[in-house]
């Protein structure tokens, strides 16, 4: 019997806001402007399901960018992610017009409570018949802290210590209802077996949570876990908990090393490396001809503004660059305090400077520009060639971000996906009804995570 060819996972990287993660996208002539309406997100959802995407997931931040200049004025004036809707509400608007597309949302382990997150995502998973994922983040800056009554954001490794315990509580609550606990019988008046519904009674360093959770298990067991940590501590967290890792590959060679490191980490955590999908972020600019694609690329690149990068990098690193000389190097102490350690390390590596300046951070990170991550540009065949090379050596799929909405995804569905399907690299139809099933992941039973997480 022939083995089924390995196929890539495709995930759309969405924002519930006025632009995609490329801030200049709202300035694109073809980008739609009804991003405060359900129709905007439902239009995207239908396109993605037509293209047989595995999933769409929403990034999220819990504050308007206001670190640059200690003010939100430029953010609002120039539309630098000035609007940010609550993502699970938007997710459900998309669920209403789809039946197979997986849907993920970001929720923070630093500013929410485990019981709330466990109940919310378990309910979403039931209401979508097993199509939901939770993107686990620890948040990143003092603006978010201020919105939740804190003076400053937690230190990096402490956030991950809290996140590990947060996951233990959430997963424990998802174990509350054992398989087969419910057997409602109107004649006998018995609803479920109380011996198969358990309290958690968790008491730890950060949390106390009793339970039982009031939501039974879904068709896929529990929501798929996404994670994007790239620092050493973040990678350890991913190795223990993640089922899909949203990666950042500056180059293919770097990606090969990251991919192997992630797989090795999962194995060392006692898990099957094949149970983890690694998907690097990618921008695709595709057209009917190479020249048309290059013209589009030039237009898209021209949409960025200096304020985009300065605002976004300040938000990401929790540093106000506004009053600092552009070429003044950061001290070792200042660099040690940077919130996003993997981005700091990337800037040090790319710039070749142990103590980079604001200029180095802006140029090496590419934040706010088209150069923030790899761009595959060309015809459908040319883009598919590049994707195939990466897929065969460094990843299990891709997280695709948009430079215009919904145009980017419409172009991918029209020109790239048919080429991938022709090569046997991507499905022609959904094979399963759940997100986990379409990703080729086994359905976990209650308590399975305890046998590998330590």
């Amino acid at each position: 019997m022939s083995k089924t060819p390995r196929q890539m996972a495709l995930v759309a990287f969405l924002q519930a806001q006025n632009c995609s993660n490329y801030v200049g996208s709202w300035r694109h002539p073809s980008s739609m402007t009804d991003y405060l309406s359900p129709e905007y997100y439902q239009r995207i959802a239908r396109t993605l399901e037509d293209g047989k995407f595995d999933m769409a997931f929403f990034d999220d931040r819990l504050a308007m960018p206001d670190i640059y200049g200690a003010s939100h004025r430029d953010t609002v004036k120039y539309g630098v992610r000035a609007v940010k809707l609550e993502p699970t509400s938007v997710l459900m608007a998309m669920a209403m017009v789809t039946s197979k597309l997986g849907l993920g949302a970001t929720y923070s382990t630093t500013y929410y409570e485990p019981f709330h997150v466990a109940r919310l995502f378990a309910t979403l998973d039931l209401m979508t018949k097993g199509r939901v994922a939770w993107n686990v983040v620890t948040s990143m800056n003092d603006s978010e802290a201020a919105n939740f009554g804190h003076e400053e954001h937690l230190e990096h490794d402490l956030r991950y210590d809290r996140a590990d315990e947060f996951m233990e509580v959430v997963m424990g609550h998802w174990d509350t209802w054992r398989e087969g606990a419910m057997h409602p019988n109107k004649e006998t008046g018995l609803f479920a077996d109380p011996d198969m519904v358990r309290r958690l009674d968790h008491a730890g360093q950060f949390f106390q949570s009793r339970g039982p959770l009031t939501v039974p298990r879904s068709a896929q067991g529990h929501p798929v876990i996404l994670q994007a940590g790239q620092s050493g501590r973040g990678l350890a967290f991913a190795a223990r908990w993640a089922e899909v890792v949203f990666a950042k590959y500056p180059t293919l060679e770097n990606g090969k090393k990251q991919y192997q490191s992630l797989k090795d980490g999962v194995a060392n955590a006692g898990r099957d490396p094949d149970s983890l999908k690694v998907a690097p972020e990618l921008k695709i600019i595709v057209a009917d001809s190479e020249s048309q694609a290059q013209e589009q690329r030039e237009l898209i690149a021209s949409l960025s503004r200096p304020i985009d990068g300065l605002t976004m990098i300040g938000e990401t690193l929790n540093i106000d660059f506004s009053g600092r000389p552009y070429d003044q190097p950061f001290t070792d102490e200042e660099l040690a305090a940077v919130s996003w350690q993997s981005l700091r390390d990337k800037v040090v590596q790319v710039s070749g400077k142990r103590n980079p300046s604001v200029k180095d951070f802006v140029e090496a990170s590419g934040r706010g520009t088209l150069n923030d991550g790899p761009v595959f540009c060309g015809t459908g065949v040319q883009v598919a060639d590049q994707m195939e090379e990466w897929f065969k050596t460094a990843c299990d799929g891709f997280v695709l971000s948009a430079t215009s909405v919904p145009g980017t995804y419409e172009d991918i569905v029209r020109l790239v996906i048919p080429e991938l399907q022709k090569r046997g690299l991507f499905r022609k139809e959904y094979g399963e009804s759940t997100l986990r099933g379409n990703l080729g992941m086994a359905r976990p039973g209650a308590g399975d995570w305890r046998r590998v997480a330590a």
Side-chain angles (χ1 to χ4, degrees), residues 66-223:
D66 63 355
I67 290 177
Y68 183 75
S71 171
H72 63 267
R73 291 185 60 82
D74 284 341
T75 291
V76 173
K77 184 176 182 179
Y78 298 106
V80 187
R81 300 190 179 191
V83 170
K84 182 70 78 172
L85 307 181
E86 197 287 312
T88 62
S89 304
V90 177
L91 180 154
M92 287 308 295
M94 297 173 71
M96 291 170 64
V97 298
T98 56
S99 61
K100 302 291 187 182
L101 179 69
L103 297 162
T106 297
Y107 251 62
S108 173
T109 59
T110 303
Y111 297 114
Y112 292 113
E113 288 293 322
F115 183 87
H116 168 69
V117 171
R119 189 174 73 143
L120 172 64
F121 278 87
T123 301
L124 292 173
D125 214 27
L126 286 173
M127 293 300 100
T128 61
K129 298 183 179 180
R131 294 191 284 140
V132 162
W134 169 29
N135 181 41
V136 184
V137 300
T138 61
S139 297
M140 59 178 51
N141 61 45
D142 292 344
S143 297
E144 293 173 294
N147 283 344
F148 288 83
H150 303 284
E151 292 186 3
E152 61 183 11
H153 197 39
L154 287 176
E155 181 271 329
H156 181 271
D157 284 3
L158 186 61
R159 294 201 305 272
Y160 276 106
D161 292 343
R162 176 187 166 98
D164 271 322
E165 187 179 333
F166 194 108
M167 291 300 301
E168 292 172 2
V169 179
V170 170
M171 298 293 281
H173 279 308
W174 284 344
D175 285 351
T176 290
W177 292 75
R178 299 289 161 158
E179 306 292 345
M182 290 180 60
H183 42 76
N185 187 315
K186 292 182 179 180
E187 293 182 0
T188 64
L190 299 179
F191 178 71
D193 184 348
D195 291 332
M196 299 179 72
V197 180
R198 304 179 182 180
R199 276 180 20 183
L200 179 60
D201 289 322
H202 175 90
Q205 178 183 357
F206 298 98
F207 303 105
Q208 291 187 353
S209 189
R210 191 185 73 174
L213 190 68
T214 55
V215 186
R217 293 173 71 80
S218 72
Q220 65 172 350
H222 64 69

Side-chain angles (χ1 to χ4, degrees), residues 403-447:
T403 52
S404 68
V405 182
T408 292
Y409 297 118
E410 292 173 346
D411 291 341
I412 291 171
V413 170
R414 182 172 68 89
L415 296 171
V416 179
I417 286 182
E419 185 62 33
L420 296 175
Q421 291 170 332
K422 189 188 304 181
R423 303 179 190 199
L425 297 173
F426 191 65
R427 70 171 67 87
K428 293 184 179 180
E429 296 294 338
Y430 289 106
E432 303 287 342
S433 60
T434 68
L435 170 59
R436 191 177 294 279
N438 284 314
L439 286 170
M441 296 176 176
R443 183 183 188 275

Side-chain angles (χ1 to χ4, degrees), residues 265-272 451-452:
V266 168
N268 291 336
R271 298 169 57 201
D272 178 1
R451 287 189 279 275
V452 293

Side-chain angles (χ1 to χ4, degrees), residues 256-433:
K256 291 177 181 177
K257 295 176 183 177
Q258 279 198 49
Y259 184 67
Q260 190 60 51
S261 177
L262 280 161
K263 295 288 186 172
D264 289 345
V266 168
N268 291 336
R271 298 169 57 201
D272 178 1
D274 291 337
S275 68
L276 175 74
K277 301 287 186 183
V278 181
E281 182 189 1
L282 175 67
K283 296 184 185 72
I284 288 177
I285 301 173
V286 63
D288 291 301
S289 70
E290 185 176 2
S291 61
Q292 288 175 326
Q294 290 298 332
E295 287 176 7
Q296 286 189 30
R297 181 171 186 157
E298 291 172 9
L299 168 62
I300 291 163
S302 73
L303 301 175
S304 68
R305 302 287 184 270
I307 190 64
D308 298 348
L310 288 167
T311 299
M312 288 181 61
I313 203 167
E315 177 194 36
T316 300
L317 298 177
N318 202 26
I319 298 172
D320 181 5
F321 288 160
S322 64
R324 188 182 191 91
Y326 202 54
D327 293 308
Q328 178 179 315
F330 285 91
T331 66
D332 290 343
E333 291 75 16
E334 288 170 329
L335 290 172
V338 167
S339 176
W340 191 349
Q341 295 183 0
S342 61
L343 179 58
R344 174 201 63 194
D345 295 344
K346 172 187 174 182
V347 172
V348 170
Q349 179 184 8
V350 172
S351 68
K353 300 177 182 178
R354 176 179 171 179
N355 297 89
S357 64
V358 174
K359 179 176 183 290
D360 296 318
F361 267 97
V362 172
E363 292 180 355
S365 73
R367 300 293 285 173
T369 74
L370 192 57
N371 297 322
D372 182 12
V375 180
F376 289 177
C377 180
T379 64
V381 170
Q382 290 171 324
V383 169
D385 285 344
Q386 296 175 85
M387 294 177 74
E388 182 172 5
E389 181 184 13
W390 282 46
F391 175 62
K392 287 186 172 180
T393 58
C395 64
D396 302 300
F398 298 92
V399 173
L400 303 180
S401 57
T403 52
S404 68
V405 182
T408 292
Y409 297 118
E410 292 173 346
D411 291 341
I412 291 171
V413 170
R414 182 172 68 89
L415 296 171
V416 179
I417 286 182
E419 185 62 33
L420 296 175
Q421 291 170 332
K422 189 188 304 181
R423 303 179 190 199
L425 297 173
F426 191 65
R427 70 171 67 87
K428 293 184 179 180
E429 296 294 338
Y430 289 106
E432 303 287 342
S433 60

